[in-house]
Amino acid sequence: MIARRRSRVTSFDVAALAGVSQSAVSRAFSANSSIAGDTRAKVLEAAHKLNYIPNFLASSLTTRRTNIIALIIGDLDNPFYVRMLHGFSERLQQAGRQILAFTAGPETDTDAIMMRVLQYQVDGIIVSSAQLSMRVTGLSHDRGIPIVFFNRYVPGSDASCVRCDNAAGGCLIAEAFLGAGAKTFAIVTGESRATTSQDRIRGFVERLIECGIEPSQIEQIEGFSSYSGGADAAISLVRDRKTALPDAIYCVNDIMALGVMDVLKHSFGLSIPGDVMLAGFDDIPESRRLPYQLTTVRQPLDKMIAETLALLHLDETAHPIDQGVDRAIPGELIWRNTVPSARVSRIPPGARPRSR
Amino acid sequence: MIARRRSRVTSFDVAALAGVSQSAVSRAFSANSSIAGDTRAKVLEAAHKLNYIPNFLASSLTTRRTNIIALIIGDLDNPFYVRMLHGFSERLQQAGRQILAFTAGPETDTDAIMMRVLQYQVDGIIVSSAQLSMRVTGLSHDRGIPIVFFNRYVPGSDASCVRCDNAAGGCLIAEAFLGAGAKTFAIVTGESRATTSQDRIRGFVERLIECGIEPSQIEQIEGFSSYSGGADAAISLVRDRKTALPDAIYCVNDIMALGVMDVLKHSFGLSIPGDVMLAGFDDIPESRRLPYQLTTVRQPLDKMIAETLALLHLDETAHPIDQGVDRAIPGELIWRNTVPSARVSRIPPGARPRSR
DNA sequence: TTGAAAGCGCTAACAC
DNA sequence: GTGTTAGCGCTTTCAA
């Protein structure tokens, strides 16, 4: 058993042992500060002897930088957001910064989380979950803390946002289905409040309609952005059915598509794309696996991360905060085996749906 | 564009507006401190007017508590550790604490990460990745920061550890295979340095040998704890083969088992458990899905999390730090479809392998 | 280059 | 219950 709270080793202790002033210790630990080589050496040696580690929080009081970035994660059950976390973590860690992580389910009060984030004087905030109120993004800006929304936006807010061009992605899927000869469609939707889901639906539907599909040929069913939501959607799509199955099913994200596919194949013995075509969105690692081979739209994750970090201006301490920036980065259609690759499309080239 | 670094609103500003002293403001924001109801009301109102939010980092200087817990995550590609993160996040968030997250691949220098963790004066550290040197755990203890290893331990160290009883779990799988009539075995191993993998192998092998299996009937192949590692292992297991396939394959974790299964079925047209039995360890959500239905050992995640948090003694500020505690919580065998359920086992009851 | 001294924003005795 | 005061551990002028 070790007693807690022994008094800490401070820069004063180190200074005393090294025979220098406390400010010399401070200088020894900060890069490019004017200090003589041997002074620094003396300090470092004393520090090592005492197991001294500078208290970063104390220094943040004066420097006003914590090197902490808050990341609010909406859905860890979706592998895409796990990959996002992974990506940010690697990039940030190698830049000497840390992630303060928050998870927020659909029912979580994101504003409450933000209040906690703000108490910690983070250097930046990345939000990939349900929308925040404008008041809270305002509080963040007041404090000079940049905030960027990842793959979602707050309509009408001045906060910046980086996302996949979701509407254009939906459009790509529509064209793939059309090119393969589909005439009737089902959309498995995500959470209705998520702009991501809305945009992916809109791009898809608008393109279909442009190409002469009747709205009555497009049905929608809720999938709640989860594997089991997708599975349930598939069940009700097949079971309670009077008319023929749709030719093609578009899942607004891959994780739902996996659920749909598993149920279609294993519970109903349907073949894909033989009996129905299927497509997703995201390109999570699972989609590439042997049992799935899912045709989908790949989100440009690396670019999105780089762009998000750029908008945070982490290294330019005095940089003003960007507002209202909206970066929509195009995704890429990944052809695999769930849509027959009649790649030669005879789709009218006409104007595509606009990005927002 | 918003300029950065406007001077902050402090408790002095609030005090001035409310017509009270600065300490009154401090009191107003801390629970159970002696302050009159209407004084607090006045303060809160002024604070609201000024958009004041207390600076938690400043207060941590005196209180010596940050409400931050560091979590070092070894492998985000393994869904088990994603679930772990999720679990800790929920429990900690609802207790008003935050997670400072670090990811550490197999090649990451965990000691370097620890040095960064220690700069942040966290209230506790949870490590679920490669082993740390003893020197670093010592530094943490010196500072009065409790540290607990999650599902791994540092042999010979005095750091505490919470884990699944991995050896006993391996033993369970051995018995399941034996009960189903298997005589020859393959083990797909994880990272060789991970105690988790070692223990799971040991428990399995010892039990087999106790039951009269010759060591020559047990082959081992590296799976590197990943899906693709499992897939590769399956390929070399089948392809470069002169003798018959083993009766049963034991993957030291589920994510590898999925890779093995996909390859066996889709690349080689093998049936499971018809041609080979298969079992994993962890019980990740994917294992329950229709295409897999994997027989496995369920790690008692909730209990493990609760136990870890208990060892941290987050609420008892003065509690001494536990040392050398080792909690091995038994896992549960989950029978699904990859091992024929000849559940009536005629296995000699003799002494089981010991836990460590 | 170095040391002294004044903060950074807050908490916690201590008197009143 | 409230204000005064002395820190918490560090950075950063400012002189020397």
Side-chain angles (χ1 to χ4, degrees), chain A residues 245-267:
Chain A
L245 270 185
D247 298 329
I249 303 176
Y250 167 42
C251 298
V252 136
N253 69 25
D254 280 7
I255 188 73
M256 291 193 295
L258 304 190
V260 168
M261 195 162 169
D262 283 346
V263 163
L264 256 26
K265 282 172 141 176
H266 296 88
S267 301

Side-chain angles (χ1 to χ4, degrees), chain B residues 11 22 26 52 55 58-59 62:
Chain B
S11 54
Q22 179 272 333
S26 172
Y52 168 77
N55 181 336
S59 76
T62 15

Side-chain angles (χ1 to χ4, degrees), chain B residues 182-225:
Chain B
K183 303 266 184 267
T184 58
F185 306 85
I187 304 175
V188 180
T189 66
E191 285 175 63
S192 50
R193 294 178 315 170
T195 55
T196 314
S197 174
Q198 293 162 10
D199 293 346
R200 290 176 185 181
I201 294 169
R202 192 166 43 69
F204 180 77
V205 169
E206 287 184 7
R207 187 65 180 145
L208 288 186
I209 289 181
E210 273 179 12
C211 293
I213 301 295
E214 293 294 318
S216 65
Q217 302 305 306
I218 309 171
E219 62 186 303
Q220 292 198 15
I221 181 162
E222 294 220 40
F224 303 99
S225 277

Side-chain angles (χ1 to χ4, degrees), chain A residues 11 22 26 52 55 59:
Chain A
S11 53
Q22 179 272 334
S26 171
Y52 168 76
N55 181 334
S59 76

Side-chain angles (χ1 to χ4, degrees), chain A residues 177 182-187 204 245-250 276-278:
Chain A
F177 282 160
K183 304 265 183 269
T184 58
F185 306 85
I187 304 174
F204 180 76
L245 270 185
D247 298 329
I249 303 176
Y250 167 42
V276 230
M277 311 178 196
L278 182 67

Side-chain angles (χ1 to χ4, degrees), chain A residues 310-329:
Chain A
L311 280 180
L312 253 22
H313 298 291
L314 261 19
D315 292 315
E316 309 133 89
T317 30
H319 195 287
I321 293 177
D322 295 308
Q323 282 196 79
V325 175
D326 177 28
R327 296 246 188 289
I329 307 175

